[in-house]
Amino acid sequence: MARNKQALGLGLAAAAGAVFLTACGGQEGASDGEANGALPSAGEVNVYSGRHYDSDLVLYDQFTEETGIKVNYIEAGGDALIERITQEADASPADIFITADAGILWRADQRDVFRTIDNETLEARVPSQFRHPDGKWFGLSKRARIIIYNKEMGLPDGLVTYADLANPEYRNMICVRSSSNIYNQSLLASRIAHWGAARAEEWAAGVVANFARKPQGNDTSQIEAVAAGICRLGIVNSYYTARFKGVDDPDAAAIGDRFELFFPDQQGAGAHVNISGAGVTRNAPNAENAERLLEFLLREETQGTFASGNNEYPVVEGIDAQGPIAAYDDFKADALPVAALGENQAEAVRIFDRVGWP
Ligand code: FE
């Protein structure tokens, strides 16, 4: 049964993007009535996931083998899934919403997607920094938003902190993606939390003044531009770098050889850290099963696999990162509770608009 479910998942989710998978044939929406009607199955859990990694499916299979609870899932972008859950309202079959970035989890909570979970296991496994204070969502893995630099050009003299990125000595050096992206909104939100809005705005204006080019592309584009020498510095999420470091593909490895990672603020507050995380939805028809799956994903023996699917760091303390990112595991992380990223998101967006960070 588990093998069949995985085959359906790999085939349909990959091909169709947002198809709700069912036990009985994988028709879109076919299981809504089953999952949410008069006879809710105790043997299922429905996952709406912003992730798309084969390793997640392997873990879902292991969970099914152990518990007999079948995992149905769809995969789509975080904001698209929030929209879908909101529109499905009381009829939503979603039990768990998984997404990247605490800023998206916060947006989901603003739309009343989650229920409050009072679960001692989850609270014990996830450090309080990486979960919602009332149990609306829990971190499952971590990532850092860091600086990369072109190895041939070197790290510019005196660059130590995020604040330094606004230094006028670094004109025309920085590549970073658009401010419409949640990663930048959360990074600026963390600056607001640390410094206050006025200083954060000065900083953002200084970074804009140091752009090597107009923001374009995703974090991978910034890595390629830094490797090509288009810009000396880039701001990217840590897991993107792992796609070029310690990999077999010669083209990717050649890019990986031309840039290096730099974790800022190691003498100060630490590097900005964010999460991938999940919560149980307000209308979850299988809420108990949902909590069991979250507990499963936070176990010692599953955390490494879950995190490594996207070259992230385990959120549970004391578990080593796996794969290429393990070489970049030893850094001081910011202790800021990630809930603060959502709280300062609206202010961050206003600042980006004012300073002209497109
Ligand atoms: Fe990403």
Side-chain angles (χ1 to χ4, degrees):
M1 185 166 69
R3 187 167 48 83
N4 185 40
K5 179 259 295 169
Q6 188 187 352
L8 276 174
L10 287 169
L12 291 182
V19 174
F20 191 76
L21 301 172
T22 74
C24 50
Q27 283 177 296
E28 185 170 8
S31 78
D32 287 14
E34 265 182 24
N36 208 46
L39 295 169
S41 167
E44 295 188 321
V45 61
N46 301 322
V47 179
Y48 281 28
S49 179
R51 291 166 59 97
H52 39 268
Y53 308 114
D54 291 351
S55 50
D56 287 8
L57 310 188
V58 170
L59 290 174
Y60 296 162
D61 266 355
Q62 285 176 12
F63 176 75
T64 301
E65 273 166 40
E66 182 182 306
T67 63
I69 298 167
K70 189 158 49 62
V71 181
N72 306 309
Y73 65 92
I74 60 168
E75 296 173 346
D79 282 320
L81 290 175
I82 292 172
E83 206 53 52
R84 179 163 171 162
I85 292 168
T86 304
Q87 285 179 10
E88 287 168 345
D90 292 351
S92 179
D95 294 304
I96 293 180
F97 173 50
I98 301 181
T99 189
D101 205 293
I104 303 284
L105 290 161
W106 181 84
R107 273 184 207 163
D109 186 38
Q110 294 295 297
R111 302 284 295 277
D112 210 12
V113 162
F114 297 122
R115 67 173 64 190
T116 297
I117 293 298
D118 188 10
N119 180 310
E120 283 177 15
T121 304
L122 299 180
E123 284 165 24
R125 302 295 285 168
V126 183
S128 59
Q129 179 192 356
F130 300 119
R131 54 181 158 85
H132 186 277
D134 300 328
K136 297 283 189 72
W137 44 260
F138 298 83
L140 295 173
S141 54
K142 298 183 296 190
R143 68 274 296 283
R145 192 151 182 79
I146 57 164
I147 297 169
I148 57 167
Y149 61 94
N150 179 291
K151 258 159 87 171
E152 213 172 280
M153 298 174 177
L155 190 69
D157 284 344
L159 178 54
V160 177
T161 65
Y162 293 104
D164 292 334
L165 289 170
N167 189 323
E169 285 170 39
Y170 307 145
R171 288 283 184 263
N172 301 314
M173 285 192 190
I174 298 173
C175 277
V176 62
R177 73 199 296 173
S178 156
S179 71
S180 64
N181 179 264
I182 190 67
Y183 307 152
N184 285 335
Q185 292 173 15
S186 288
L187 176 62
L188 183 55
S190 76
R191 297 308 95 191
I192 296 168
H194 281 303
W195 303 333
R199 187 179 162 201
E201 181 159 348
E202 263 176 56
W203 175 78
V207 174
V208 169
N210 289 341
F211 281 171
R213 62 176 187 180
K214 194 176 170 217
Q216 55 191 268
N218 57 15
D219 281 10
T220 299
S221 308
Q222 316 315 316
I223 290 174
E224 289 165 350
V226 169
I230 294 167
C231 21
R232 187 164 174 178
L233 300 170
I235 304 171
V236 300
N237 280 356
S238 49
Y239 53 88
Y240 289 93
T241 69
R243 298 172 191 176
F244 300 94
K245 294 279 185 187
V247 293
D248 292 332
D249 177 71
D251 294 336
I255 291 171
D257 284 343
R258 291 197 287 270
F259 76 90
E260 199 44 79
L261 287 68
F262 179 74
F263 290 78
D265 287 88
Q266 294 303 282
Q267 318 303 322
H272 169 64
V273 170
N274 207 317
I275 56 169
S276 292
V280 180
T281 59
R282 185 167 51 89
N283 293 313
N286 308 287
E288 265 179 51
N289 292 349
E291 285 189 52
R292 288 184 75 180
L293 179 55
L294 291 183
E295 290 168 4
F296 177 84
L297 294 176
L298 286 159
R299 278 191 200 161
E300 207 155 315
E301 59 272 25
T302 53
Q303 267 283 284
T305 305
F306 184 87
S308 72
N310 188 30
N311 293 301
E312 291 181 279
Y313 305 105
V315 76
V316 175
E317 280 170 2
I319 300 175
D320 292 332
Q322 296 179 4
I325 206 67
Y328 299 95
D329 193 13
D330 188 21
F331 65 92
K332 181 178 180 184
D334 194 341
L336 183 73
V338 294
L341 306 179
E343 287 154 17
N344 291 308
Q345 187 179 114
E347 183 69 47
V349 170
R350 284 193 292 271
I351 288 174
F352 280 133
D353 284 347
R354 284 197 295 265
V355 301
W357 183 326

